[in-house]
């Protein structure tokens, strides 16, 4: 049962497929609830974007408290809880949802239900949330709200007959959404006198206050001065401040069962406030933590090295700074014969990896070389020892390997039916096993595949997009390890193994992959004074080979004497090009070579 206080609270998230209008709708809800004037809103949203930038994931909207007064004059506190919008962050999404009683499901009136819509709905149903479908973008000429209502009912199996029809962009019918939230989302429950149980669903580092933990209080009450215990990590702290987001953090006296807000306690590292952990009272601890905690572990690893002229310490400093705010980022020093000193970094997925790389380059102004991403292989040696290998160079010699296993994901792909052939071919090519195919309506199909993660991390998403003209959508989750015939493929330049190019591939794919990599390297490595053989090899067996012919490259020959400024420009350009080169043994390799080996090119 909810108390009178709790009767006036609604905790909800907005879930949507990317681009269906989640952020725009959130902005409108903030605007409609009149907490902020237009101008304040602009400033605050800008502020929060700065903060987001610090946090590394572009989320745009943020957890915030809205005060809604309905037409009967009753006032409600609506806590909008943000969820990150990408498959890499499924666990974080599930914890944010665990902090709510309801979810607003935004569906684009032209696009309809997509893979991520469905994935998010399943997560919300797992948490027993009340789902409120909202059909957005009804201003579009291509909007087909009635069909989409049917689609929601048929595919998701929830009643959408009275789903609000809105245009977040034009601010149409936003009130209906607020009304639906108040009517349909259950009020929170929980005893405010019980021992404290607060769920951490997010956190970030603030240089003045230390870590700010976003919490949903499920049981009990928390106040400044309380001694608290993190149940998963066992760490103890004393609370400095509790508060709510409006969306700027604002201190309050206490947070009680049913409320959403933040706690600060001079915590130095986000690793101490793990998403999904339960905060309890150190003196009067709860018997059991809240369910669902999981330690997040990286799924994808790659090497990050300073480019020529860049300092190793600068890269370490930058990684340390990012890690303060990103509990999922891991790194440790490693050395490569080819690239020298650098770091092996672990990420939740490819998007997470790309975000970190981009931030290192943009915010810290670093020039980096990134090696091919690798998943974690489970290797059982002939002596029974089991190793988790995330760097191909650490693979034991083949005679010591009894068998290897690779991570498999469950993938859900939704697409218009005219592309089914293309996509099945793609999945087949990536060693996928089809589990199920379902017609969602006469135009759209849902495919369920088991795919090796190793095949997904190399540009699968790009390939899917290009094979479906951008209409295919993908969602996946880790399923487990499976035995597989894997081999380590080395790449040799001028007869020398370049360790940074080594990769673990499926036996059946090694030859074609080797050929593509050799061809690509031939395209991107400039000619030298000598011929350069490029080889792909498994052990001592060469499986593909190309040669870059020798040539003396004289850029000035093109200038026919004359124009001195043009000559200068060319020389400068050449110098610029040199900076981005890397000496690997006797061969100079441009930075793009490292990227080139990552991409399969299906058309080649
Ligand atoms: N025509 C129209 N466009 C809209 C409407 N709502 C949002 N959009 C547009 O759709 C695009 C995506 O909107 P966002 O609010 O950023 O969508 P999102 O779901 O938050 O997307 P991500 O943040 O990328 O996950 C933007 O270009 C919006 O301007 C609407 O009601 N009508």
């Amino acid at each position: 049962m909810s108390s009178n206080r709790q009767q006036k609270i609604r905790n909800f998230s907005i879930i949507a497929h990317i681009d269906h209008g989640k952020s725009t709708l959130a902005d409108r809800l903030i605007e409609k609830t009149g907490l902020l004037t237009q101008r304040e809103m602009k400033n605050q949203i800008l502020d929060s974007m700065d903060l987001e930038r610090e946090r590394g994931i572009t989320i745009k909207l943020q957890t915030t408290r809205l005060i809604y007064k309905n037409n009967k004059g009753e006032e409600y506190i609506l806590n909008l809880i943000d969820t990150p919008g990408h498959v890499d962050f499924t666990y974080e999404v599930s914890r944010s949802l665990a902090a709510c009683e309801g979810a607003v499901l935004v569906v684009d009136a032209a696009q309809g239900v997509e893979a991520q819509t469905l994935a998010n709905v399943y997560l919300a149903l797992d948490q027993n949330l009340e789902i409120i479908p909202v059909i957005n973008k009804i201003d579009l000429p291509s909007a087909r709200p009635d069909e989409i209502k049917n689609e929601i009912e048929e595919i998701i199996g929830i009643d959408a007959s009275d789903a609000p029809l809105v245009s977040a962009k034009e601010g149409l019918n936003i009130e209906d959404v607020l009304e639906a939230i108040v009517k349909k989302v259950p009020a929170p429950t929980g005893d405010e006198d019980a021992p404290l149980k607060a769920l951490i669903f997010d956190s970030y580092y603030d240089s003045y206050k230390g870590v700010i933990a976003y919490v949903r209080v499920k049981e009990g009450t928390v106040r400044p001065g309380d001694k608290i215990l993190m149940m998963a990590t066992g760490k103890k702290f004393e609370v400095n401040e509790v508060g709510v987001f409006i969306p700027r953090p604002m201190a309050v006296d206490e947070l009680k069962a049913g409320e959403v807000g933040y706690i600060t306690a001079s915590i130095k590292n986000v690793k101490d406030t793990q998403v999904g952990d339960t905060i309890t009272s150190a003196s009067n601890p709860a018997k059991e933590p809240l369910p669902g905690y999981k330690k997040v572990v990286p799924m994808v690893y790659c090497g990050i090295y300073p480019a020529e002229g860049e300092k190793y310490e600068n890269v370490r400093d930058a990684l340390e700074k990012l890690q303060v705010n990103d509990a999922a980022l891991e790194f440790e020093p490693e050395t490569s014969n080819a690239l020298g000193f650098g770091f092996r970094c672990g990420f939740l997925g490819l998007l997470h990896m790309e975000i970190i790389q981009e931030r290192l380059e943009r915010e810290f102004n670093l020039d980096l070389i990134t090696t091919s991403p690798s998943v974690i292989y489970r290797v059982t040696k002939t002596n029974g020892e089991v190793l988790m290998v995330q760097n191909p160079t650490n693979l034991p010699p083949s005679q010591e390997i009894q068998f290897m296993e690779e991570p498999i994901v469950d993938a859900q792909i939704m697409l218009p039916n005219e592309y089914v052939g293309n996509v099945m071919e793609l999945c087949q090519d990536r060693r996928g096993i089809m589990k199920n195919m379902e017609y969602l309506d006469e135009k759209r199909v849902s495919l369920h595949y088991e795919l090796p993660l190793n095949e997904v991390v190399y540009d699968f998403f790009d390939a899917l997009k290009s094979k479906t003209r951008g209409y295919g959508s993908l969602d996946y989750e880790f399923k487990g390890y499976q035995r597989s015939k894997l081999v380590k493929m080395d790449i040799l330049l001028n007869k020398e193994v370049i360790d940074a190019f080594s990769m673990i591939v499926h036996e059946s794919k090694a030859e074609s992959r080797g050929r593509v990599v050799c061809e690509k390297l031939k395209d991107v490595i400039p000619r030298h004074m000598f011929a350069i053989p490029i080889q792909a090899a498994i052990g001592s067996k060469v499986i593909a080979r190309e040669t870059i012919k020798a040539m003396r490259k004289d850029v000035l020959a093109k200038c026919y004497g004359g124009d001195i400024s043009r000559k200068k420009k060319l020389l400068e350009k050449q110098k610029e090009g040199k900076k981005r080169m890397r000496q690997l043994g006797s061969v100079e390799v441009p930075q793009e070579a490292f990227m080139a080996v990552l991409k399969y090119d299906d058309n080649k």
Side-chain angles (χ1 to χ4, degrees), residues 16-26 58-61 85 106 108 116 136-140 166-171:
H17 186 72
I18 211 144
D19 272 351
H20 283 198
K22 179 172 109 168
S23 314
T24 316
L25 180 64
T58 350
I59 313 172
K60 285 188 279 186
L61 85 124
V106 180
D108 185 317
Q116 244 179 292
N136 187 31
K137 305 201 189 182
I138 55 158
D139 59 293
L140 289 177
V166 311
S167 164
K169 193 168 155 197
E170 297 183 352

Side-chain angles (χ1 to χ4, degrees), residues 15 17 47 82 87 90 108 125 207 216 252 258 330 356 369 390 441 463 492 519 565 595-596 602:
I15 54 180
H17 186 72
D47 280 357
D82 187 19
V87 291
T90 302
D108 185 317
L125 290 174
S207 41
R216 156 69 196 272
V252 296
E330 279 189 3
I356 298 292
I369 289 176
Q390 26 95 338
D441 53 37
L492 294 82
E519 280 170 19
S565 69
M595 281 324 285
D602 292 290

